[in-house]
Amino acid sequence: FAQGVADRWGLQPEFIETVAEQLGVTCGYSEPRRLGVDRWVAMLAAHNLAPGAVCVVDAGTAVTLDTVDRNGRHLGGLIMASPRLAAAALNRRTSDIGETIASDEAPVGLAILGHSTDEAVAHGAMLGVAAAVDRALATVAQELDVEPLVLLTGGEAPSLLPWLETAVQYRPHLVLEGLALVALSN
């Protein structure tokens, strides 16, 4: 790959990897290389944006949540199936469900209860992830005794956003912001 880029455009690509410490953030994983580099650079950007504790929620094929305290220490994270992946798993593993399209609109009141199998699966998948994220964020806030800034990013973020009860700031390009920070620091 690198040679193809060099041959075609005359550039030498630089590959980023997760390391134990970078740009004021210390990785909380015992094996930093096992932390996805997309999560890492998003945390670098988040820490640079916020003077205090910050949580990054990245909603894509998987939904990840990582927390960095005010001192730049990565406290760890969560990885869970996205609502789309959860609904697809139900479709594959059960009968008569069919492909489900999750709603981008959060229902209000009892409308949260589906009136068809499709609605029940879609609402359950979205609510499951949103509730898990809200619970994790509440636990982080309680344990840190401070409300961290919560940044939401990823391709599925717009779908998840209306389902969350926690206040979040939508940053669609947080990973790219992190890549830019790393590039500028080199």
Side-chain angles (χ1 to χ4, degrees):
F1 172 77
Q3 191 57 50
V5 170
D7 291 346
R8 178 154 185 166
W9 291 290
L11 301 171
Q12 263 323 319
E14 179 181 334
F15 294 94
I16 310 255
E17 56 188 34
T18 304
V19 295
E21 193 281 326
Q22 188 173 20
L23 296 172
V25 178
T26 303
C27 183
Y29 274 27
S30 57
E31 294 180 64
R33 64 178 183 76
R34 300 271 300 148
L35 175 72
V37 72
D38 56 335
R39 292 169 61 198
W40 179 243
V41 297
M43 283 188 280
L44 297 177
H47 180 68
N48 194 7
L49 288 168
V54 63
C55 292
V56 175
V57 178
D58 192 336
T61 303
V63 175
T64 62
L65 184 150
D66 287 284
T67 300
V68 178
D69 72 10
R70 65 182 177 86
N71 297 317
R73 186 172 46 119
H74 173 225
L75 302 177
L78 298 172
I79 302 172
M80 60 196 98
S82 70
R84 188 179 311 267
L85 193 59
L90 283 172
N91 178 32
R92 279 193 312 278
R93 298 292 190 169
T94 58
S95 64
D96 298 327
I97 295 257
E99 187 173 338
T100 298
I101 306 301
S103 172
D104 289 349
E105 301 275 332
V108 177
L110 290 178
I112 201 161
L113 304 173
H115 291 98
S116 68
T117 299
D118 190 51
E119 268 189 2
V121 170
H123 291 186
M126 291 301 288
L127 184 60
V129 171
V133 168
D134 283 330
R135 166 81 184 273
L137 293 170
T139 300
V140 167
Q142 181 178 350
E143 290 298 314
L144 295 181
D145 199 28
V146 64
E147 290 290 330
L149 172 65
V150 181
L151 302 176
L152 177 65
T153 193
E156 296 295 323
S159 297
L160 182 59
L161 183 59
W163 290 80
L164 294 171
E165 292 181 357
T166 306
V168 301
Q169 186 183 113
Y170 176 48
R171 301 284 299 206
H173 307 294
L174 191 62
V175 172
L176 295 176
E177 292 175 53
L179 285 172
L181 277 173
V182 170
L184 289 171
S185 72
N186 289 341

